[in-house]
Amino acid sequence: MFSPYCNNSSYNIVNIKRPIYLTYSFINHWMQIRKKSSVITNEVEVSSTDVLTDETQFRALEKSVTPLCRMPYEKQLVLKQQWTNTVCKEVRSRLHNVKTLITLPKVFPISSSPQINEYRNKDEFNFRPGIDGNPKTLGFFVTNPSKESIYCVSAMKLINMKQSHKDVAQVFEDFVRKSELPASYDHMDGGFWRGIIVRSNLKGDKMAIVVANPRGYTNEIMLDEQRRFNDYLKSMNVDIQSLYFHPSLHTRSSKDSTFILVDGDKYIYEELCGFKFRISPDSFFQINTLAAEVLYHELFNLINPTKTTTLLDLCSGTGTVSVIGSQHVQSCVGIESVAQAVNDAKETAKINNIHNCDFIEGKVEIVLKQVLNELSMTSDLSAVLNPGRAGVHPKVINAIRNNRLINSLAYVSCKADSPITMKNLVELVVNNKKSRPFTLKSIKPVDMFPHTKHCELIFMFKR
């Protein structure tokens, strides 16, 4: 499970649930670029034979999570611009393979992130044995190839994370190490403490979500541990605006929707592009708030909507695109599968006195066709598709292509080189007899994730 970039996860930054060998094809590709260009002076090499020790563990985690952090930021942008060009050529190559010829779209210069350090507004920390053998080590997972073992390494030296998040994680680790209850690495292992999620806004308000495995533990035990941790936070003078307890029976906590408010406010709020957004424990919000403002500014420049435009916001999350776009269009319709995110979007619209947005709960591939039927009288329909790393179901692409009213589509991707995303992009453009294809007009890169190998791309399609 990953999400240093989306969060989608949940991006979330990364808590790896499987072994990672500190190698990435993306970085290998960049290293090939380095051989042909003099723009990169600080080589970032990741060796699969690195041996984890007390001294090397932090560098190993750095190489895994922020592999470009020792490279000047300007050179990071050069690499991501070159990668964007590579993605563009890959799309053309795949279309050529299916006998659809296109001219290369315009690739705009990359937009930088206004903040390059400590920019993440959400981080998730989990337990695993540390290099020293302590079973209650909180952080992120790396693999020691020489021993084929997974170890947990503290995130204290990662520069893309806020110090306030690290401080909360450190206090939580200290508390759990004093607890008689064991840590849980797997939902069937009998352990209790799984980890903690820390969210914050630009003002510094923090939300902490303690994740625990309730299997085999009574409600009395769970309630007592919630109270004890809340008291411990206060005794350590840690200021948390919103503290939640999240009992999860599954390996991936997103399968559970139970969030128990232990203390403080039910929500925190963030200011973005002049609007106030409500943030719940499990709602999606772009991981880099200031860079998200850049992203949405560029997005609407490309869409160029008018007051007669209806904006279709697919995979709408907490309604960010709809809320920001509401000032530019006649109306917005958002579709999102997470119920709490839909509730947040509706409440955000109310808070900002917005009356031209409607949000629908459901999977896009299931409800989109019906929504498009209801919009059949719309004269100007533009769509924004902003899925997670995995892209979208082919039914979504088919529904978009089959609707004659959609002549403008912005596909926003945080992992454009993933197989499904690539397939989505090709299927929008490929020639077939069933529906009229789109033309890929332009690609705009925005660096949402400094020091990492990832970059947000806006693909602008017209027909």
Side-chain angles (χ1 to χ4, degrees), residues 384-401:
V384 175
L385 184 54
N386 187 11
R389 290 186 305 137
V392 294
H393 195 283
K395 289 182 179 179
V396 177
I397 303 299
N398 290 337
I400 292 172
R401 281 196 53 150

Side-chain angles (χ1 to χ4, degrees), residues 358-372:
D358 189 21
F359 298 98
I360 300 169
E361 179 189 344
K363 291 185 176 181
V364 175
E365 60 267 27
I366 295 176
V367 304
L368 178 58
K369 187 175 181 179
Q370 179 183 345
V371 171
L372 288 172

Side-chain angles (χ1 to χ4, degrees), residues 265-335:
D265 300 327
K266 195 172 182 179
Y267 312 102
I268 60 174
Y269 295 85
E270 183 62 285
E271 296 285 340
L272 179 66
C273 295
F275 296 95
K276 185 177 181 180
F277 288 85
R278 190 177 84 173
I279 310 295
S280 296
D282 61 340
S283 59
F284 171 79
F285 199 79
Q286 290 286 0
I287 206 71
N288 182 341
T289 305
L290 295 179
E293 292 192 335
V294 177
L295 176 72
Y296 295 127
H297 174 76
E298 296 296 342
L299 173 65
F300 285 103
N301 274 347
L302 290 173
I303 298 173
N304 193 26
T306 69
K307 287 297 183 179
T308 64
T309 300
T310 296
L311 181 66
L312 188 59
D313 182 9
L314 308 178
C315 307
S316 56
T318 52
T320 316
V321 170
S322 292
V323 168
I324 295 172
S326 63
Q327 60 190 322
H328 303 296
V329 301
Q330 183 182 67
S331 62
C332 304
V333 180
I335 302 176

Side-chain angles (χ1 to χ4, degrees), residues 88 91-92 95 100-105 429 438-440:
C88 177
V91 172
R92 185 177 71 165
L95 285 166
T100 299
L101 300 179
I102 66 166
T103 56
L104 284 176
V429 180
F438 286 85
T439 298
L440 178 56

Side-chain angles (χ1 to χ4, degrees), residues 97 123 201 243 261-262 273 275 285 317 368 375 423 462:
N97 291 339
D123 290 299
N201 58 20
L243 177 62
L261 181 63
V262 178
C273 295
F275 296 95
F285 199 79
L368 178 58
L375 296 174
K423 185 177 180 181
K462 299 282 186 177

